[in-house]
Amino acid sequence: MLTHKIAVKLFVENPEAVDRHAAVGVFHEWIQRHALPDHLLIDVADYGHVHHGPGTLLISLEANIYLEDGDGELGLSYVRKQPFSTGSDPLTDALQTARRIAAMLEDEPALIGLRFARNRIAIRLEDRLRAPNTDETFARIEPDLKRIGTEAMEAPVRLDRRGGPEQLLEVVIIRA
């Protein structure tokens, strides 16, 4: 993979059923009980008052974790800041970590009813230097995106590339 600075967004299937403010307490509780042992959880910020903003943010040394609707759709965004220590594929690791966190959120009593869609995943490379939004970069990562999408959704997928060269490279993986 070109960069470890990967953002994964898993979309909420039923945003009307979610008490977004409850995520503040959930994230604080996760810090107290060290709920993500492979992350040093630091703080929580609530930007719920910002329209289409970052929502509720759980800050860790390794990544930022958001329950957000920045693009107009509620979802869990996992934004990796540091390289993974496993030495394996950062794209796979970021997606697996996001899915693990999503499963934890679905199990939280304070967020009862929260469900993440299993038919779409957004991947954004947050490194304009190593992974500019060009046709060449997309061609390099396309096979990996198809592979992880097919594995995650257990079905064929199609890719929807977003934006242009002035934006970060973002691709939505959609179950075909």
Side-chain angles (χ1 to χ4, degrees):
M1 177 52 49
L2 304 171
T3 182
H4 65 272
K5 296 177 182 177
I6 298 168
V8 175
K9 182 168 183 175
L10 304 175
F11 298 93
V12 172
E13 188 174 280
N14 56 338
E16 69 286 344
V18 179
D19 176 3
R20 298 174 192 201
H21 186 70
V24 174
V26 169
F27 286 163
H28 276 296
E29 194 266 332
W30 283 12
I31 292 171
Q32 292 169 357
R33 68 177 172 94
H34 307 285
L36 297 173
D38 52 348
H39 289 68
L40 176 60
L41 303 179
I42 298 169
D43 202 0
V44 177
D46 183 13
Y47 296 100
H49 61 284
V50 179
H51 180 68
H52 291 232
T56 305
L57 165 62
L58 174 59
I59 302 161
S60 80
L61 177 66
E62 299 77 11
N64 288 336
I65 301 160
Y66 304 83
L67 189 59
E68 54 89 7
D69 65 352
D71 56 5
E73 288 188 80
L74 186 61
L76 167 72
S77 289
Y78 177 80
V79 183
R80 191 70 188 187
K81 300 184 289 191
Q82 299 292 326
F84 285 93
S85 61
T86 61
S88 61
D89 175 41
L91 190 56
T92 300
D93 288 347
L95 178 57
Q96 288 176 345
T97 303
R99 291 178 78 196
R100 178 171 47 102
I101 294 167
M104 291 170 61
L105 287 170
E106 287 178 333
D107 288 342
E108 283 292 338
L111 297 171
I112 196 78
L114 171 66
R115 288 186 318 275
F116 288 93
R118 306 291 193 253
N119 62 347
R120 261 185 331 144
I121 302 166
I123 305 287
R124 189 175 57 246
L125 303 183
E126 300 210 340
D127 191 334
R128 292 176 200 264
L129 178 62
R130 291 188 177 89
N133 192 351
T134 63
D135 292 339
E136 295 79 23
T137 303
F138 179 70
R140 286 184 66 187
I141 66 167
E142 184 177 17
D144 290 333
L145 293 173
K146 284 184 176 178
R147 174 186 52 81
I148 67 158
T150 300
E151 289 171 3
M153 296 181 204
E154 299 177 348
V157 297
R158 65 181 175 84
L159 305 180
D160 179 18
R161 182 174 164 196
R162 304 266 170 103
E166 68 284 352
Q167 297 165 319
L168 295 169
L169 177 57
E170 182 174 349
V171 177
V172 178
I173 304 169
I174 304 163
R175 177 184 276 153

